[in-house]
Amino acid sequence: MSVIVIPRRTAPLSAFSTDGDMMINPKWLVFGVLLSAFVLLANYDLQLGLAAGSILGIVLAIYAWVQYRLWLADHEPGDTRRAMINRMRKLTENRRRARNKELSGES
């Protein structure tokens, strides 16, 4: 008996797109535009640039925290084992029902 494992599709971490539609992954393109806007703003007015930089830092920290929490939820070690145990219980129950049905003569 084998258990079919479907591989997870993970987001690429490289700067270049893997699907071939764009030369650069859109996530990095947006990050570059945000960084360049921050640099231009800091060059125009230092206090305004520091305010924008702190807001950008807070947003990036929240984004990193959410990504980390989603990664942890996706890679919880007990989930795979629990899913396999539930699947085996379900298969065993189905086999038991089929055997009982065959022994009782039902169709």
Side-chain angles (χ1 to χ4, degrees), residues 35-107:
L35 188 63
S36 63
F38 163 68
V39 169
L40 287 173
L41 198 57
N43 192 22
Y44 175 72
D45 185 13
L46 186 59
Q47 285 183 338
L48 195 58
L50 290 174
S54 62
I55 290 173
L56 182 62
I58 290 170
V59 168
L60 288 176
I62 291 172
Y63 174 76
W65 180 77
V66 167
Q67 287 288 73
Y68 179 69
R69 295 296 294 176
L70 290 175
W71 181 83
L72 278 181
D74 195 30
H75 289 86
E76 188 174 328
D79 283 347
T80 306
R81 184 175 185 277
R82 199 172 307 122
M84 287 177 58
I85 289 172
N86 288 339
R87 181 171 166 78
M88 289 303 297
R89 283 184 183 150
K90 201 179 282 187
L91 286 173
T92 306
E93 181 66 24
N94 286 343
R95 287 186 183 136
R96 187 183 59 75
R97 271 195 248 134
R99 188 182 66 234
N100 289 343
K101 192 182 244 187
E102 182 179 320
L103 291 176
S104 66
E106 296 177 20
S107 51

